[in-house]
Amino acid sequence: MPVETIDRLASELDAQAKTVSAEVDRFFATLLAPTEDSRERFSEAMRHAAIGGGKRLRPLLTVAASRLFAIDRERALRVGCAIEAIHVYSLIHDDLPCMDDAELRRGKATVHKAFGEAAAVLAGDSLHALAFEILASPATHEDPWVRSDLVLELARAAGPNGMAGGQMMDLAAEGQELDLRSITRLQQLKTGALIEYAVEAACIMIKMPADARTPYRGYARNIGLAFQIADDLLDTSGDAAAAGKPTGRDANAGKATFVSLLGEERARQQAGVLVNQAIEHLSGHGSEADLLRAIARFAIERDH
Amino acid sequence: MPVETIDRLASELDAQAKTVSAEVDRFFATLLAPTEDSRERFSEAMRHAAIGGGKRLRPLLTVAASRLFAIDRERALRVGCAIEAIHVYSLIHDDLPCMDDAELRRGKATVHKAFGEAAAVLAGDSLHALAFEILASPATHEDPWVRSDLVLELARAAGPNGMAGGQMMDLAAEGQELDLRSITRLQQLKTGALIEYAVEAACIMIKMPADARTPYRGYARNIGLAFQIADDLLDTSGDAAAAGKPTGRDANAGKATFVSLLGEERARQQAGVLVNQAIEHLSGHGSEADLLRAIARFAIERDH
């Protein structure tokens, strides 16, 4: 790829990532506006978790995938925010003392550290319900088939056969030696399912038949694993400022990761292979897929 | 009402309650079938919480309300089980050490006591997602508008402006003196929203316009409060065996309840008034509403 193209893609991605982040913040600021009763402290806990943090990779993916089919940006953003609500709730619960017992998230105190454990449980549960309220609202799409299918697939991606199932596998793996196949399966559920949904949601919004979605799911599956490897590399490299949370946690916990199993060099190579495969899945598209290509190419080089 | 009619209604209710309980158990046994991987322990935790307990008031209400409009029983039951999945997840999280710190639920060890806190958090989160997967599945209704609206209203009833919001108010009320108005509002969110949805779901399934649903919502709102008063009376009377959990907890925690504010005698009278009002809302219906009438009349006399 010519250097000018690479530069153009990188700066386009930067601009889009900033725009989407600001839009997601605005969306949550409206959705989670202060209440005038005793729920306010919990509402504040939700805003603390949902506003002003993270790279917003999932909404960015939905916005980028929506470009392939010229889907209205507002709609794509609403779907992206529903996914982000699920992602944020899972981080809140994952950080709880009985789970990862984390003190920092996205450079801020975790919700239970700032607001107490009960508030963290309820703030997470509330964001979980809100995600489905967003998707099922006519403002997201005028076609009830689309709304219903968006809900069905998000529920699958978030539940025991998706994200929550991956978290279960992760907990069950403590003190166990997982092999590459088990780690891959675990990550495909824990983080991959939601990333795949973020791309597939665009296909659902144009009512694309399930069997035509293969390349888009393939793209998402490849970058999902590439992101995980990048995350493991970041955890190993120990740059807590870039990660926005303490690093070295996996190694300290004796957890197998892509890096511990493959070594840094091979893990880095593997991420590169996955990125190339992801981009190949988009070969049927022209410049409308450039943002997805840029996400694959550059997003793994940063904290997310 | 003649004694024979009362006897017939009571025994009809008994039979229906038993049937629905068995059907809900079967539904969850299929939905939560053992997994063949490391998620099995969490799957077991979900079965522990979801199968074989409780009076299944919410599914019973949906089945009973569906009779008004001759809705297919299988469909009503699926919707009832989705509501029950939300109810069960909320009990699991409510019982956590950072919330009510309960050891017993429905006569069994709470999920965190039997499986650990992390399993309880994830089992609750998984049931939460599964509720929406059930509703959005074409098996629940062939009309996507109905599926989408079922999801929208359940998400509202479960989230921060419904059940979760009521739990927030409940936590915020600790050590505070709530008045009757605040208690009523708190309970309408915490337990009332889901009970109201259990009845309204039948209206949604026949695409009844929102403004025609008033009597059904009125019925549900009245019995929701009547049930809460009955629950408070049970907690006061201290019959732990009937309650399936330790009693006297609210009084010990210094929490205001309908009973502490009204006294036992007036609370009992108030429940009776609410039951009569609930039944009046059904005056436009004939015998097809008998099961709903029986639930109002008799269900408050038992543990639920």
Side-chain angles (χ1 to χ4, degrees), chain A residues 67-83:
Chain A
R67 282 191 173 187
L68 298 178
F69 317 120
I71 294 168
D72 175 66
R73 186 186 176 92
E74 271 309 302
R75 291 179 170 186
L77 200 77
R78 283 184 64 89
V79 174
C81 287
I83 306 170

Side-chain angles (χ1 to χ4, degrees), chain A residues 188 192 195-196 214 216-226 274 278:
Chain A
Q188 273 175 341
I195 286 172
E196 205 174 310
T214 310
Y216 309 105
R217 299 176 62 146
Y219 163 88
R221 208 166 300 162
N222 286 331
I223 63 160
L225 282 175
L274 287 164

Side-chain angles (χ1 to χ4, degrees), chain A residues 58 83 86-87 154 157-158 163 189 191-199:
Chain A
R58 291 153 195 80
I83 306 170
I86 294 285
H87 179 57
L154 181 62
M163 183 185 74
L189 292 184
T191 58
L194 217 52
I195 286 172
E196 205 174 310
Y197 176 82
V199 174

Side-chain angles (χ1 to χ4, degrees), chain B residues 247-282:
Chain B
T247 55
R249 296 180 61 89
D250 290 341
N252 295 340
K255 273 192 191 174
T257 69
F258 288 112
V259 176
S260 75
L261 288 169
L262 294 171
E264 265 194 65
E265 190 49 37
R266 274 189 60 209
R268 221 175 283 278
Q269 280 169 4
Q270 183 59 33
V273 169
L274 287 163
V275 164
N276 287 335
Q277 287 176 346
I279 290 173
E280 261 169 47
H281 282 300
L282 303 172

Side-chain angles (χ1 to χ4, degrees), chain A residues 130-161:
Chain A
L130 284 171
F132 293 106
E133 186 177 335
I134 296 165
L135 290 187
S137 156
T140 298
H141 206 284
E142 83 282 358
D143 186 330
W145 186 93
V146 169
R147 301 200 296 272
S148 175
D149 212 38
L150 284 172
V151 168
L152 181 62
E153 296 303 334
L154 181 62
R156 284 179 177 155
N161 295 311

Side-chain angles (χ1 to χ4, degrees), chain A residues 37-39 42-43 46 89 93 96 98-99 117-119 121-123 125-126 128-130 132-133 136-138 144-145 147-148 151-152 155-156 158-161 164-169 171-172 185 189, chain B residues 37-39 42-43 46 89 93 96 98-99 117-119 121-123 125-126 128-130 132-133 136-138 144-145 147-148 151-152 155-156 158-161 164-169 171-172 185 189:
Chain A
D37 56 33
S38 61
R39 288 172 294 175
F42 300 87
S43 176
M46 285 193 269
Y89 114 67
H93 284 187
L96 284 168
C98 66
M99 305 275 281
E117 274 185 62
V121 170
L122 285 179
D125 290 342
S126 294
H128 194 169
L130 284 171
F132 293 106
E133 186 177 335
S137 156
W145 186 93
R147 301 200 296 272
S148 175
V151 168
L152 181 62
R156 284 179 177 155
N161 295 311
Q167 290 172 296
M168 292 172 182
M169 286 179 174
L171 281 171
R185 169 82 177 137
L189 292 184
Chain B
D37 56 32
S38 61
R39 288 171 295 175
F42 300 87
S43 175
M46 285 193 269
Y89 114 67
H93 284 186
L96 283 169
C98 67
M99 306 276 281
E117 274 185 62
V121 170
L122 285 179
D125 290 343
S126 294
H128 194 168
L130 284 171
F132 293 105
E133 187 177 334
S137 155
W145 186 92
R147 300 199 297 272
S148 175
V151 168
L152 181 62
R156 284 178 177 156
N161 295 311
Q167 290 172 298
M168 292 170 182
M169 286 179 174
L171 281 171
R185 169 83 177 135
L189 293 184

Side-chain angles (χ1 to χ4, degrees), chain B residues 69-85:
Chain B
F69 317 119
I71 294 167
D72 176 66
R73 186 186 175 93
E74 271 309 303
R75 288 177 173 186
L77 200 77
R78 283 184 64 89
V79 174
C81 287
I83 307 170
E84 192 68 9

